[in-house]
Amino acid sequence: MDKKYLEDRLRELGIYSEYYHRLELKLLAQIVPYDEQINCILTGVFEGSRRLCAVTASRILIVTSGVLYQKGGIVIPRSSITSWHFDKKFLLSSVTIVAGGKTYEIKQTQGGRKDLFEWAMNQPVKEYD
């Protein structure tokens, strides 16, 4: 996927203006193929650093990219997710995902992303070959 294709998808979701400046988008565009559609993006604190979380039909990607952090990320297959919860609060919203016996918590995320995140998580899971 190229960055323009990703930016067009963010415009479709109505969230481009909040993420166009994020360095993680370049890395995300490199690791997400064209046939895998991004359904939600949010940012939050994961394992002590601010990261970008992208929800697709087949996986959740938690990526970081920047001057102070080594580029990299975590891939959570959607088929391995046993539960998830978006806790919306005024300032300190969080997302908790349980997959493969491990709990992933993204803190200090945007409460306004709750509806989009829940919609994305309720989309059918697609397995890629």
Side-chain angles (χ1 to χ4, degrees):
M1 173 182 298
D2 61 27
K3 192 172 177 191
K4 179 168 179 355
Y5 187 81
L6 177 59
E7 290 172 350
D8 289 345
R9 178 62 181 155
L10 295 180
R11 283 185 186 94
E12 287 174 16
L13 295 171
I15 58 175
Y16 173 76
S17 63
E18 295 179 42
Y19 300 101
Y20 72 92
H21 63 283
R22 300 293 304 194
L23 296 173
E24 294 91 343
L25 290 183
K26 183 176 180 181
L27 178 62
L28 197 60
Q30 293 172 355
I31 60 177
V32 176
Y34 281 101
D35 61 347
E36 185 175 2
Q37 184 169 304
I38 292 176
N39 292 326
C40 179
I41 288 183
L42 53 87
T43 59
V45 176
F46 178 77
E47 295 181 344
S49 64
R50 173 101 14 220
R51 307 223 187 170
L52 185 133
C53 175
V55 180
T56 74
S58 65
R59 57 191 174 158
I60 295 177
L61 304 158
I62 303 172
V63 296
T64 186
S65 177
V67 178
L68 300 176
Y69 304 107
Q70 181 178 4
K71 291 181 183 178
I74 295 170
V75 177
I76 306 167
R78 293 259 325 267
S79 59
S80 72
I81 295 174
T82 54
S83 68
W84 56 270
H85 177 70
F86 193 112
D87 186 22
K88 184 176 179 178
K89 295 184 179 174
F90 181 65
L91 291 175
L92 301 174
S93 297
S94 64
V95 171
T96 305
I97 300 165
V98 179
K102 186 172 180 183
T103 301
Y104 303 87
E105 186 173 17
I106 303 166
K107 300 177 183 178
Q108 299 177 13
T109 191
Q110 304 92 338
R113 274 308 140 260
K114 181 178 181 177
D115 292 339
L116 185 61
F117 180 81
E118 289 180 346
W119 171 80
M121 292 300 290
N122 286 316
Q123 295 302 303
V125 175
K126 182 176 180 184
E127 294 294 330
Y128 289 92
D129 297 327

